Amino acid sequence: SFFSIATQELILTTVLGLAAVSGVALIFIPHWSAVLFVLPMMCVLYIDLLAVMQWAGIKINAVSYVTLTMSIGLLVDYAMHILFRFYELPGTRQEKTVAMLKTMGASILLGGTTTFLGTLPLMFSVSEIFETVFFSFFGIVTLGMGHGFILLPVLLSIFGSEDQVTCKVE
């Protein structure tokens, strides 16, 4: 039955999903060190999402299993866009962080806001399925944007790679 193997399968799916997004980061982001931000950030985000779902009283079932599996791909989006832009820019860590937030910040905020607004009507449903989906997306958007706009830029401004030549960002 589903419930006898759900926890083991969710753990396996999570590990494989985290490995996959780390591999994608290693291949597509211009600097190898991006994976050192992606993997820990995704682990923290996933644990935080599990906490949001626990707080909302959502148990592991077929719907929460699917939303948790999807969440890896949705959560990594916030971090990948930030990291990709950061590593494209020249300058010191601080210059790159400021320029990255100026150029990508509004786009990521708009994407997160529209995703949240698109799922907001589910909050008013009496169906447990829609409630599960709403709380999952609520956690994905709030945690993804919070970590992408607050934690990741701070970490990049302290530990990110930097060019020796400074640039003037307008």
Side-chain angles (χ1 to χ4, degrees), residues 88-141:
E88 282 184 324
L89 294 166
T92 65
R93 291 181 192 111
Q94 287 74 24
E95 290 171 339
K96 290 168 71 163
T97 302
V98 169
M100 175 264 304
L101 286 171
K102 282 182 179 179
T103 57
M104 287 300 296
S107 298
I108 293 171
L109 181 62
L110 180 64
T113 303
T114 56
T115 301
F116 177 74
L117 290 175
T119 57
L120 188 62
L122 297 176
M123 182 175 78
F124 303 106
S125 175
V126 293
S127 167
E128 186 178 333
I129 293 171
F130 292 142
E131 181 182 282
T132 300
V133 173
F134 169 74
F135 278 110
S136 298
F137 273 85
F138 173 77
I140 289 167
V141 170

Side-chain angles (χ1 to χ4, degrees), residues 8-76:
Q8 294 169 333
E9 287 297 317
L10 187 58
I11 291 169
L12 177 64
T13 303
T14 301
V15 169
L16 291 175
L18 293 173
V21 298
S22 297
V24 168
L26 198 56
I27 293 168
F28 289 107
I29 295 183
H31 197 272
W32 65 269
S33 66
V35 76
L36 299 176
F37 292 99
V38 170
L39 184 58
M41 180 72 63
M42 289 306 300
C43 291
V44 168
L45 281 167
Y46 197 78
I47 291 168
D48 289 349
L49 181 60
L50 287 170
V52 166
M53 293 178 80
Q54 176 72 28
W55 169 79
I58 296 170
K59 306 285 187 238
I60 297 296
N61 56 37
V63 176
S64 63
Y65 180 93
V66 170
T67 60
L68 283 167
T69 302
M70 281 188 337
S71 72
I72 296 169
L74 297 170
L75 285 169
V76 76

Side-chain angles (χ1 to χ4, degrees), residues 143-160:
L143 294 170
M145 286 189 358
H147 287 71
F149 281 133
I150 299 168
L151 180 60
L152 191 54
V154 169
L155 292 174
L156 287 170
S157 70
I158 297 169
F159 301 112

